[in-house]
Amino acid sequence: MAMWLLDSQRLGQTDSVKRIAGRLLKQPAREGVVEAQSRLGRLLCRDCDSKRDRRIGFELLRQAARAGDRQAQFELGQLYAQPRHHEPAQARHWLELAAAQGSSEARLLLNRLKPGA
């Protein structure tokens, strides 16, 4: 249900629907459901103003990325490439993993990173 809400073009953009979806994803994410960790992590990192929520989202993304979730790997690589985190080696690591699983977005971002980073 949460995935459907978030994937809905019209509904998935509203804050109230994002809050509902976040609540629905919380328990499965705690139980180790990788897709729930990935989606909730992305939601918290992108749409929350709270440092605590972003930190939790970052950790959920890291767990999902370690479990092999391509989208979480891409998101984590993208976050590490941002000036706020600026860890190019980590960015490259996660983007390379996502690219190896077929992420064209990860390949594009890898090409923009400085060589050797």
Side-chain angles (χ1 to χ4, degrees):
M1 175 71 135
M3 307 299 187
W4 179 81
L5 287 170
L6 291 172
D7 290 340
S8 168
Q9 282 188 336
R10 188 173 55 90
L11 294 174
Q13 302 306 311
T14 63
D15 290 338
S16 59
V17 169
K18 289 177 184 178
R19 274 193 298 279
I20 292 167
R23 285 189 206 119
L24 291 170
L25 289 168
K26 190 182 283 187
Q27 189 59 40
R30 282 186 186 144
E31 293 171 357
V33 176
V34 174
E35 190 174 1
Q37 290 172 335
S38 180
R39 292 302 293 264
L40 184 56
R42 284 184 272 157
L43 190 63
L44 291 172
C45 285
R46 289 180 185 170
D47 296 311
C48 290
D49 294 327
S50 156
K51 285 183 182 181
R52 178 183 176 272
D53 285 347
R54 283 195 309 269
R55 194 171 49 248
I56 291 168
F58 200 82
E59 183 54 37
L60 287 169
L61 280 176
R62 193 177 359 252
Q63 290 172 17
R66 286 182 183 143
D69 185 273
R70 179 179 74 182
Q71 190 61 40
Q73 291 168 343
F74 171 70
E75 290 286 332
L76 204 51
Q78 203 173 26
L79 286 170
Y80 277 123
Q82 292 177 355
R84 181 182 359 183
H85 298 286
H86 192 65
E87 293 189 43
Q90 283 292 320
R92 182 166 296 285
H93 169 75
W94 292 112
L95 291 170
E96 285 174 349
L97 289 175
Q101 290 194 62
S103 172
S104 56
E105 297 170 303
R107 265 189 232 103
L108 286 172
L109 190 50
L110 270 170
N111 289 336
R112 286 189 267 158
L113 287 177
K114 293 179 183 176

